């Protein structure tokens, strides 16, 4: 099995994906501080896109959101609807 490479959409760096990478897996760009990227499929091959995030209003934890999130969507964390 060969290693796949993708371009970080945030900084333009070439990233090597793990050989066992799967669609939906989240990786980090080592050059973008704190960026998280979700592996997707585009044009017949692997691609990555930034993971939408939000901070919990109670504990401050950064939460990964699904790609389908829309403005105004709510979530529950720390037992509270946010």
């Amino acid at each position: 099995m060969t290693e796949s490479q993708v371009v970080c959409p945030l900084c333009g760096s070439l990233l090597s994906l793990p050989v066992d990478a799967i669609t939906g897996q989240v990786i980090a760009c080592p050059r973008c501080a704190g960026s998280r990227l979700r592996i997707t499929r585009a044009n017949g091959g692997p691609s990555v896109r930034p993971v939408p995030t939000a901070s919990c209003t109670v504990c401050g934890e950064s939460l990964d959101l699904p790609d389908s999130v829309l403005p105004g969507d709510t979530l529950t964390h720390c037992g509270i609807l946010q």
Side-chain angles (χ1 to χ4, degrees), residues 32-81:
C32 296
S35 70
R36 296 173 53 73
L37 306 168
R38 185 169 287 129
I39 300 171
T40 62
R41 303 283 303 170
N43 300 321
S47 182
V48 290
R49 66 174 160 224
V51 175
T53 60
S55 296
C56 175
T57 58
V58 175
C59 72
E61 181 180 346
S62 180
L63 309 170
D64 288 349
L65 302 176
D67 288 335
S68 60
V69 70
L70 297 172
D73 284 355
T74 58
L75 60 107
T76 301
H77 194 261
C78 291
I80 297 172
L81 182 64

Side-chain angles (χ1 to χ4, degrees), residues 4-30:
S4 295
Q5 293 187 317
V6 294
V7 175
C8 175
L10 303 173
C11 72
S13 295
L14 193 60
L15 304 175
S16 295
L17 296 179
V19 174
D20 59 349
I22 58 171
T23 300
Q25 183 177 345
V26 176
I27 62 169
C29 174

